[in-house]
Amino acid sequence: MADTGRSPRIRWHILLFLAPAVIVYTAVMIFPLFNTLRLALYSATGQGGREFVGLANFHTLFGDALWSKQFWNALGNNFWFFFIHMIVQNPIGIMLAAILSHPRLRFAHLYRSAIFIPTILSFVIVGFAWKLILSPIWGIAPSLLDAVGLKTLFQPWLGKEEYALTTLALISVWQFVGIPMMLIYAALLSIPEEILEAGECDGITGMSAFWKIKLPLILPSIGIISILTFVGNFNAFDLIYTTQGALAGPNFSTDILGTFLYRTFFGFQLQLGDPHMGSAIATAMFVVILIGVCIYLFGIQTRLRRYQF
């Protein structure tokens, strides 16, 4: 084919259509991100100004005994919060999606709506509702357990250090299990019928078809859900703040990086806010999330290579 010598045309209409979204995203995401990184390199002075201190704030965050204890406690709680979601929420979501995608299941749309409704509820409503339900004084949880003869199992789960964080994680699972359910449900419906019919010809049906055919095909969706779960749980704040307050009691047992950042940046009670140390915590959160996402992407890519047909 002869070379016409013409340079490729610039499709200006694509740039025009993308410009509003890029401008808005830059204004509300990119600029605040870099501004936070910049604030972490400064420290407040006595005259109401600020001075460049480099990595001194990070040295305080990780080197000072008081700051580092709070940071590592919050980070450990974040990982436990995420771990509960990974081993409880996502498997339940996959199981519900597999059940609801069965073509012979009646009223499937009603079940999907009922399971997804808590997802659209306000954090404030969910937090206060469960706080009332689990209250040992006026909650209905003791009465319900007593009705089935299990009242001895009741504990003030939100008031004990060893139970509070796990209880909040399970409340969050109850609220958001509809998200992985719907994503996996959509992935299961997108599987071509020809593949399932070919499996039936080979005698692969029922649960065997799910494990050998459907599960490998929906692994990309499961990977995306895992990433969303990781990022969402490290940004968790609303539920814990609503139920346990900014101090994330009892005795900081439910403190995560979000509540730690809030107290540091804005201040709480007699504690003055420090935007520069708060920015250092936010930067550390960003690095942790970035590393976690990169590890997940590498793991997903490795798993997908094993299931290539």
Side-chain angles (χ1 to χ4, degrees):
M1 183 176 180
D3 186 7
T4 59
R6 296 179 181 178
S7 58
R9 293 170 53 187
I10 300 177
R11 299 182 179 180
W12 295 104
H13 65 283
I14 297 179
L15 299 178
L16 180 63
F17 291 142
L18 289 177
V22 172
I23 293 173
V24 171
Y25 187 80
T26 302
V28 301
M29 294 294 293
I30 303 300
F31 176 75
L33 173 62
F34 282 99
N35 192 46
T36 299
L37 299 178
R38 181 180 63 86
L39 282 177
L41 303 178
Y42 287 82
S43 180
T45 60
Q47 295 76 24
R50 60 189 178 194
E51 60 179 353
F52 182 80
V53 294
L55 300 178
N57 290 329
F58 296 98
H59 183 269
T60 301
L61 181 62
F62 297 109
D64 183 84
L66 179 61
W67 283 99
S68 63
K69 180 182 179 181
Q70 294 183 75
F71 176 81
W72 292 115
N73 173 65
L75 181 62
N77 289 339
N78 254 127
F79 273 111
W80 179 252
F81 200 77
F82 164 69
F83 179 73
I84 294 295
H85 281 75
M86 282 297 296
I87 65 171
V88 179
Q89 174 184 278
N90 292 348
I92 292 178
I94 296 172
M95 179 189 68
L96 291 174
I99 295 174
L100 295 176
S101 63
H102 196 282
R104 297 182 181 178
L105 180 65
R106 300 180 61 187
F107 307 113
H109 60 285
L110 179 62
Y111 302 143
R112 291 198 304 269
S113 300
I115 296 172
F116 193 79
I117 282 176
T119 304
I120 62 178
L121 294 179
S122 168
F123 284 100
V124 177
I125 295 175
V126 172
F128 276 105
W130 276 99
K131 195 171 183 179
L132 291 173
I133 292 171
L134 298 177
S135 172
I137 300 175
W138 53 74
I140 63 172
S143 301
L144 292 176
L145 290 176
D146 188 25
V148 295
L150 298 176
K151 189 176 181 179
T152 56
L153 298 179
F154 179 79
Q155 298 286 336
W157 290 301
L158 291 177
K160 287 193 172 183
E161 296 182 26
E162 59 268 29
Y163 300 134
L165 184 62
T166 303
T167 303
L168 289 172
L170 293 176
I171 293 174
S172 179
V173 167
W174 169 83
Q175 183 178 9
F176 291 109
V177 71
I179 294 179
M181 178 198 71
M182 293 303 295
L183 292 175
I184 297 299
Y185 177 78
L188 289 173
L189 293 184
S190 65
I191 297 176
E193 288 293 333
E194 294 80 5
I195 297 179
L196 300 178
E197 292 174 357
E200 291 179 359
C201 294
D202 293 335
I204 304 176
T205 58
M207 290 299 298
S208 180
F210 176 81
W211 289 108
K212 296 182 179 180
I213 299 178
K214 294 181 179 180
L215 184 61
L217 292 175
I218 64 174
L219 277 181
S221 298
I222 295 177
I224 293 174
I225 292 170
S226 300
I227 294 175
L228 294 176
T229 303
F230 181 81
V231 175
N233 282 277
F234 268 81
N235 289 324
F237 168 79
D238 313 69
L239 180 62
I240 292 178
Y241 181 81
T242 302
T243 55
Q244 307 296 86
L247 292 178
N251 195 25
F252 300 104
S253 61
T254 59
D255 194 23
I256 59 174
L257 291 176
T259 51
F260 181 39
L261 168 63
Y262 174 84
R263 292 196 310 273
T264 304
F265 199 102
F266 298 102
F268 185 73
Q269 295 180 348
L270 299 178
Q271 175 184 333
L272 297 177
D274 187 346
H276 305 288
M277 284 300 299
S279 298
I281 297 172
T283 302
M285 289 177 60
F286 172 75
V287 173
V288 170
I289 293 174
L290 183 62
I291 293 175
V293 170
C294 291
I295 293 175
Y296 262 98
L297 290 176
F298 177 77
I300 291 170
Q301 185 179 9
T302 303
R303 285 179 176 271
L304 287 177
R305 289 176 180 174
R306 297 179 182 178
Y307 288 100
Q308 286 181 348
F309 292 98

